[in-house]
Amino acid sequence: MTALEVRGLHVALGDTPVLRDVGLEASPGEALALLGPSGSGKTTLLSAIAGFVVPSGGEIAVGGRVVSGPGLHEPPERRSIGFVFQNYGLWPHLTALQTVAYPLLRSGESPPEALVEAGRLLEMMGLEDLGGRRPSQLSGGQQQRVGVARALARRADLYLLDEPTAHLDSGLRAGLQQEIAARMTADGTATVYATHDAAEAMAVAHRVALMR
């Protein structure tokens, strides 16, 4: 069974075609990089897979289950997907600890268990002392790492990462790449990783899909 299958996907934003007849797949435990410049459709493709954008044609299956196709569009919350947004996508009223704990609470964990696991994920991201801060009190790189921790807390069948290291320095970038690779190996989870950096694509991915 494949973790992700995209078949004949078409997406238009207004009257502008963005994706035309896109097809790709990823296996469990595999990292697939989407490599291309800004404007090539990487974010649109990830958003369609996650359910934030409604395709105008084609089919998407996650974990062998069709989530988007003719007459079908499951909302994002019904897809087993963890998404790391390029613009962080953090809730301004929640602390870093509460943000990371939220997916765990939604999955049925008790508040004490969720907070312990959220703290562990923040520690893994080097943010163990910043759990009580809100996004406005964090740097861009810190916010990005909180977003990654929240996605990992989702325990999803598929992770989608949109330029997840764009706001990190080289040392943090390498550490985050290693952590993503380790999580995929441990969980057998597939990851689709959008980047404009060829060196990063080669560092994190088993296969690379070029987008123009």
Side-chain angles (χ1 to χ4, degrees):
M1 181 180 69
T2 57
L4 170 68
E5 290 182 85
V6 177
R7 297 181 285 267
L9 190 71
H10 293 264
V11 175
L13 299 181
D15 296 328
T16 304
V18 179
L19 302 175
R20 302 176 182 86
D21 197 27
V22 172
L24 57 84
E25 64 179 44
S27 302
E30 181 182 25
L32 174 66
L34 304 178
L35 175 62
S38 297
S40 60
K42 302 186 302 296
T43 296
T44 300
L45 177 54
L46 293 183
S47 297
I49 295 170
F52 300 123
V53 170
V54 180
S56 51
E59 189 172 88
I60 300 169
V62 176
R65 185 171 64 87
V66 176
V67 296
S68 180
L72 171 67
H73 181 77
E74 287 199 348
E77 63 270 19
R78 294 191 59 191
R79 306 185 187 196
S80 183
I81 290 174
F83 200 112
V84 177
F85 297 89
Q86 187 175 7
N87 62 350
Y88 317 134
L90 304 182
W91 298 297
H93 63 291
L94 296 184
T95 65
L97 187 65
Q98 292 168 334
T99 296
V100 179
Y102 181 78
L104 297 163
L105 293 169
R106 286 291 303 270
S107 68
E109 286 200 16
S110 68
E113 292 173 332
L115 290 173
V116 168
E117 176 64 9
R120 189 190 70 80
L121 288 167
L122 287 176
E123 182 178 5
M124 187 171 67
M125 293 291 147
L127 299 171
E128 60 271 20
D129 297 327
L130 304 180
R133 295 190 183 183
R134 290 181 169 80
S136 61
Q137 300 169 307
L138 299 171
S139 69
Q142 290 165 345
Q143 291 183 53
Q144 189 73 302
R145 282 181 281 162
V146 172
V148 173
R150 178 181 61 186
L152 294 178
R154 181 73 169 76
R155 294 174 182 167
D157 293 330
L158 175 68
Y159 291 112
L160 306 177
L161 292 83
D162 190 6
E163 303 272 5
T165 65
H167 304 281
L168 305 182
D169 61 34
S170 58
L172 289 173
R173 183 180 299 120
L176 181 55
Q177 291 168 358
Q178 292 172 359
E179 177 53 43
I180 291 168
R183 177 56 67 101
M184 286 189 304
T185 299
D187 295 352
T189 306
T191 299
V192 181
Y193 192 110
T195 180
H196 64 272
D197 186 328
E200 182 170 48
M202 297 299 290
V204 302
H206 299 101
R207 291 187 298 136
V208 177
L210 299 176
M211 299 188 68
R212 293 189 296 174

